[in-house]
Amino acid sequence: MLQLLAQLQLDAGQLEDAHRHIAASLMARPDHAPSLLVAGGVARAQGRLADAAHALSQAAALAPANDKAWFELALVRQDLRDFDGAAEALRQLLRVAPLTT
């Protein structure tokens, strides 16, 4: 419930509330990949790129088939100017969600 509330608040631009609710969600379930994905989105929106990269790395490690986690991680690593890390995240993305023609 807190994860959904945090996502809705993130979507509405209510970043402080989103941060508070996703933090509470992660207190209850620290290894919950979907909550870590939301936490990464909140941190990125707040400009806390290192925190976003950490949360998204955890989400991708816990749910390696989650293409959104890899894509979001690639974006954050690019924002951090970690181009090698961004490229690696994109390679992982292509492994789990290959392009089809």
Side-chain angles (χ1 to χ4, degrees), residues 30-90:
D31 291 334
H32 186 244
S35 292
L36 287 163
L37 190 58
V38 173
V42 171
R44 184 171 186 226
Q46 291 179 318
R48 298 180 299 109
L49 298 179
D51 292 340
H54 180 73
L56 294 167
S57 292
Q58 287 183 294
L62 290 167
N66 186 322
D67 57 341
K68 183 174 182 179
W70 290 112
F71 180 72
E72 294 296 325
L73 180 58
L75 293 177
V76 168
R77 286 181 172 166
Q78 175 185 299
D79 292 346
L80 287 167
R81 303 279 193 240
D82 174 10
F83 300 119
D84 290 338
E88 179 56 32
L90 290 173

